[in-house]
Amino acid sequence: MLYSVKMRAAQGAAHEQGGRHISGAERLVLEKELGETVTAMLKRARSHERGPADFINIKVHKLTANNIAVIPALQVVPLVNPTEINIARGYAANLLASFGVSQLAINAAFSHLTNLATSMRGALLLYAHNGLIVPEIDQHRGVRVSNMDAQNSQTYTSWLREQAIDNIHAHEAIILASKVAACPQILAELCWSDDPNYTIGYVANKKTYHRINSLKEAGSDIGGRIFFITEQAAIAAIVDYLQEQPVLIGV
Ligand code: WAQ
Ligand code: MG
């Protein structure tokens, strides 16, 4: 039986009281792994590059329904290393256009991410055909994807190492993006980190995950995620899938 472990950490005040988001994490682990998982999350929140969190919420619950989906990992395209942010963003924009995202939505996505006053805890949903924000989603919090993990952590880590990927950001992001991509109503994703020194971001579609360096300035603590959704999408079902459906990523 698997347990969902979720962590969210803020500084200054709790998230609900307007605290600054520091870190979040979500795992699906066996009972015997609970202790080490919770300890690692606490340590991470307390020693984060964004600053030490002082309002930390760690939630553990046993999965009750037997409805765990096993989903293949996205294929990872090797990192590209543009020298300038504008080139990196142009590269990401071209990829998104090739995935069927409209120019309106691409412009809206970059505009939202670059105008954030502070990082959100979750992702924004935009309509891929016109770039409008999905109004049902709280724009300050966003949607937090949860209840996902590697099907087998060791196999997954080896698979990443074979591709010369060996860091926690990519480790977690590929799991998250693979869950997101498996949602039928999500066409594509754009992301960059809110950790000041991590400048690699990605764009993903249904099958591939493209790593792109220099998507933001080094030193910036503002990151974010945008999910581009199809016009007819039922929002409640998407949010339910992203937050609740337990998913294991296989390689
Ligand atoms: N669900 C939805 N949105 C999230 C989640 C989540 N579980 N976790 C983070 N976000 C949003 C939130 O707005 C954060 O501010 C933003 O994404 C960035 O989160 O292959 O580290 O965890 O090397 O800082 C990309 C890896 C790393 C590229 C992304 O994101 C690579 C990263 P971070
Ligand atoms: Mg971060």
Side-chain angles (χ1 to χ4, degrees), residues 21 24 26 44 50 79 119-123 141 143-146 148 165 167 169-174 176 191-195 198 200-202 209 211 222-225 227:
H21 178 66
E26 26 276 308
R44 177 161 164 191
R50 290 171 60 72
L79 179 68
S119 288
M120 296 164 64
R121 204 192 330 156
R141 178 185 185 274
V143 179
R144 184 102 196 155
V145 188
S146 190
M148 70 282 183
I165 300 171
N167 73 73
H169 293 88
H171 180 108
E172 293 181 345
I174 295 165
L176 184 151
C191 162
W192 62 79
S193 179
D194 56 14
D195 296 16
Y198 203 78
I200 303 174
Y202 66 87
Y209 175 99
R211 308 181 72 213
I222 299 190
R225 277 187 160 87
F227 303 155

Side-chain angles (χ1 to χ4, degrees), residues 10-66:
Q11 202 176 52
H15 285 106
E16 295 80 1
Q17 262 68 55
R20 173 172 176 261
H21 178 66
I22 295 293
S23 167
E26 26 276 308
R27 300 282 316 276
L28 293 176
V29 301
L30 297 169
E31 186 176 8
K32 64 175 189 214
E33 299 168 315
L34 279 173
E36 55 181 294
T37 305
V38 168
T39 306
M41 284 185 181
L42 179 64
K43 191 170 163 201
R44 177 161 164 191
R46 290 290 301 152
S47 58
H48 204 274
E49 194 194 320
R50 290 171 60 72
D54 31 33
F55 290 78
I56 303 167
N57 197 308
I58 296 180
K59 188 161 140 189
V60 178
H61 72 256
K62 192 174 180 171
L63 295 188
T64 45
N66 190 17

Side-chain angles (χ1 to χ4, degrees), residues 1-250:
M1 188 50 88
L2 286 174
Y3 288 75
S4 157
V5 187
K6 300 182 199 179
M7 181 274 285
R8 59 185 171 91
Q11 202 176 52
H15 285 106
E16 295 80 1
Q17 262 68 55
R20 173 172 176 261
H21 178 66
I22 295 293
S23 167
E26 26 276 308
R27 300 282 316 276
L28 293 176
V29 301
L30 297 169
E31 186 176 8
K32 64 175 189 214
E33 299 168 315
L34 279 173
E36 55 181 294
T37 305
V38 168
T39 306
M41 284 185 181
L42 179 64
K43 191 170 163 201
R44 177 161 164 191
R46 290 290 301 152
S47 58
H48 204 274
E49 194 194 320
R50 290 171 60 72
D54 31 33
F55 290 78
I56 303 167
N57 197 308
I58 296 180
K59 188 161 140 189
V60 178
H61 72 256
K62 192 174 180 171
L63 295 188
T64 45
N66 190 17
N67 64 340
I68 303 169
V70 178
I71 284 173
L74 290 173
Q75 184 202 331
V76 181
V77 177
L79 179 68
V80 293
N81 246 315
T83 46
E84 284 173 35
I85 289 171
N86 286 342
I87 297 174
R89 290 184 180 168
Y91 183 85
N94 284 342
L95 280 170
L96 289 168
S98 76
F99 301 158
V101 179
S102 71
Q103 205 55 54
L104 281 172
I106 294 169
N107 294 345
F110 280 101
S111 159
H112 284 305
L113 288 187
T114 52
N115 287 317
L116 284 174
T118 175
S119 288
M120 296 164 64
R121 204 192 330 156
L124 263 184
L125 266 57
L126 296 188
Y127 284 106
H129 68 290
N130 64 11
L132 291 181
I133 291 192
V134 173
E136 289 90 336
I137 307 297
D138 176 338
Q139 279 183 49
H140 294 289
R141 178 185 185 274
V143 179
R144 184 102 196 155
V145 188
S146 190
N147 285 304
M148 70 282 183
D149 209 329
Q151 185 179 24
N152 178 316
S153 290
Q154 281 181 351
T155 316
Y156 177 70
T157 303
S158 317
W159 177 78
L160 290 177
R161 289 212 178 114
E162 283 161 21
Q163 308 178 66
I165 300 171
D166 192 3
N167 73 73
I168 182 86
H169 293 88
H171 180 108
E172 293 181 345
I174 295 165
I175 291 171
L176 184 151
S178 299
K179 177 174 181 182
V180 170
C183 179
Q185 300 86 357
I186 299 181
L187 209 59
E189 180 184 353
L190 167 68
C191 162
W192 62 79
S193 179
D194 56 14
D195 296 16
N197 293 314
Y198 203 78
T199 57
I200 303 174
Y202 66 87
V203 294
N205 69 353
K206 292 279 169 209
K207 298 271 177 235
T208 50
Y209 175 99
H210 298 254
R211 308 181 72 213
I212 308 169
N213 204 352
S214 303
L215 271 179
K216 71 161 192 191
E217 308 85 22
S220 158
D221 70 348
I222 299 190
R225 277 187 160 87
I226 308 264
F227 303 155
F228 299 94
I229 69 164
T230 58
E231 191 171 355
Q232 309 299 338
I235 304 306
I238 296 182
V239 172
D240 186 63
Y241 167 80
L242 293 174
Q243 293 183 347
E244 309 299 339
Q245 170 69 50
V247 167
L248 292 174
I249 304 301

